[in-house]
Amino acid sequence: PTAIAYNASISACEKGLNPSKALEIFDEMKREGVRPTVVTFSALISACEKGQQWKLALQVLEEMKATFGPNVIAYSAAISALSKGQQWEKAWELFCEIEQSGEKLSVVTYNATMTALEKGLQWERALDLFDEMKYKNMAVTVVSYGSAISACEKGYQWRQCLEYLDEMTERKISKNVIIFGAAMSCMEKSHRADIAFQLMERMKLERVRPNVHIYNSVISACARCKLWKKGFELFKEMDEVGVKRDVVTYNAVLDAVCSQVDLAEDIFHEGVERGFY
């Protein structure tokens, strides 16, 4: 087989979430004397990322660097693998390394690094990178905004979160349920139930259907802000609009209505009947 055939096989392993099989093919390729290309290494690192094998991804990256030097696609995949492995320091190191190499950074590189930083609670660094992307006139995507809004949630930056939502409207970037979910979570953590209700209305206007995570966040916000009636209303509304409740929903609403002993008891028993407790 040629390098192209091997690369296709490794890519198939990546899509099938099978990093060990991808490595077997890679080893066979070298045994057969077929020289791996940059595409081979990038596909292999992506397979490691999908299979949540960040240490393996770094080993493959080192091997690639020895042959081809830094490559932005391979680095971006490795940063994603580190992000999934909660290794923000190593992800940041790779970002700085590829930046210093003079390679042109892609939107994917920035998005992956922002996600790693945000997951590592380095929200200020993540937002700095987002500003840098916009300063460089890069084509920021819905993924970029998702990472930035999640970073706002980690730092309780609810005003900044709202600014980003408005910016998305200005840039004509459609908001999806993930964007609204991150924004709701930010409002919940920031004790801004009032704004969470406004975001629910905004979702209706923008034709984005709230899912269970959205409802859970808003009910939790009601609990934090001592708005038990509104929390219970939203809990009932879920049945009316066909959003299936989960154990988080029941925990959130019980938290919200804890001052109403009889109501809390009824909800708890309903949760027991549904097998949540």
Side-chain angles (χ1 to χ4, degrees):
T2 63
I4 293 171
Y6 277 113
N7 293 349
S9 301
I10 290 171
S11 285
C13 293
E14 176 213 333
K15 291 177 179 64
L17 307 183
N18 195 342
S20 50
K21 182 70 181 160
L23 278 166
E24 275 174 36
I25 295 166
F26 181 63
D27 289 338
E28 183 195 313
M29 184 179 186
K30 289 190 286 188
R31 273 200 311 275
E32 295 295 325
V34 180
R35 188 181 144 99
T37 65
V38 170
V39 175
T40 318
F41 282 109
S42 297
L44 192 53
I45 292 168
S46 284
C48 295
E49 177 235 320
K50 301 285 193 302
Q52 310 214 339
Q53 304 280 327
W54 65 267
K55 287 179 184 166
L56 216 48
L58 285 184
Q59 283 169 21
V60 176
L61 185 71
E62 284 306 313
E63 194 176 331
M64 188 209 78
K65 272 158 55 182
T67 316
F68 296 103
N71 169 273
V72 74
I73 296 170
Y75 266 79
S76 300
I79 290 169
S80 283
L82 290 166
S83 171
K84 286 188 177 161
Q86 308 285 340
Q87 302 293 316
W88 75 264
E89 289 109 326
K90 287 189 172 68
W92 181 246
E93 270 172 38
L94 285 190
F95 178 83
C96 295
E97 206 177 283
I98 190 75
E99 192 173 38
Q100 282 154 16
S101 75
E103 277 269 304
K104 191 175 190 312
L105 300 186
S106 69
V107 170
V108 177
T109 320
Y110 272 94
N111 288 351
T113 310
M114 279 169 60
T115 301
L117 291 170
E118 167 263 305
K119 283 184 180 169
L121 305 183
Q122 303 297 305
W123 62 270
E124 285 165 295
R125 280 190 198 194
L127 295 184
D128 284 346
L129 273 194
F130 190 48
D131 284 343
E132 194 179 299
M133 282 179 90
K134 291 187 287 187
Y135 178 73
K136 288 183 174 178
N137 283 324
M138 295 176 86
V140 290
T141 63
V142 68
V143 176
S144 317
Y145 273 101
S147 293
I149 290 170
S150 288
C152 290
E153 177 223 322
K154 303 293 189 300
Y156 307 102
Q157 303 295 305
W158 62 270
R159 287 188 181 87
Q160 184 65 74
C161 170
L162 292 177
E163 275 178 35
Y164 288 150
L165 292 177
D166 290 341
E167 233 175 69
M168 287 182 81
T169 306
E170 283 162 27
R171 286 174 180 254
K172 297 188 167 48
I173 298 174
S174 293
K175 303 178 200 69
N176 56 26
V177 75
I178 296 166
I179 291 288
F180 277 111
M184 286 297 186
S185 202
C186 181
M187 297 314 148
E188 175 210 329
K189 304 260 182 347
S190 306
H191 293 237
R192 292 309 306 247
D194 53 336
I195 302 171
F197 306 147
Q198 289 169 21
L199 288 182
M200 286 286 270
E201 291 308 311
R202 194 161 174 176
M203 286 183 83
K204 284 177 197 162
L205 289 173
E206 298 190 27
R207 298 209 165 97
V208 180
R209 190 169 182 266
N211 60 16
V212 65
H213 305 299
I214 299 272
Y215 273 100
N216 291 350
S217 279
V218 187
I219 293 169
S220 289
C222 291
R224 287 178 188 241
C225 298
K226 306 277 187 282
L227 299 169
W228 74 265
K229 278 184 184 161
K230 186 66 182 172
F232 182 55
E233 259 173 47
L234 288 163
F235 177 75
K236 287 191 294 187
E237 188 184 291
M238 288 176 81
D239 255 1
E240 292 155 23
V241 296
V243 175
K244 204 165 186 268
R245 298 170 184 147
D246 61 14
V247 67
V248 179
T249 318
Y250 277 88
N251 288 345
V253 77
L254 285 169
D255 203 10
V257 303
C258 62
S259 60
Q260 312 300 307
V261 181
D262 294 345
L263 178 59
E265 260 182 33
D266 290 345
I267 293 170
F268 178 72
H269 290 310
E270 187 186 307
V272 171
E273 278 165 26
R274 295 204 179 183
F276 291 127
Y277 301 114

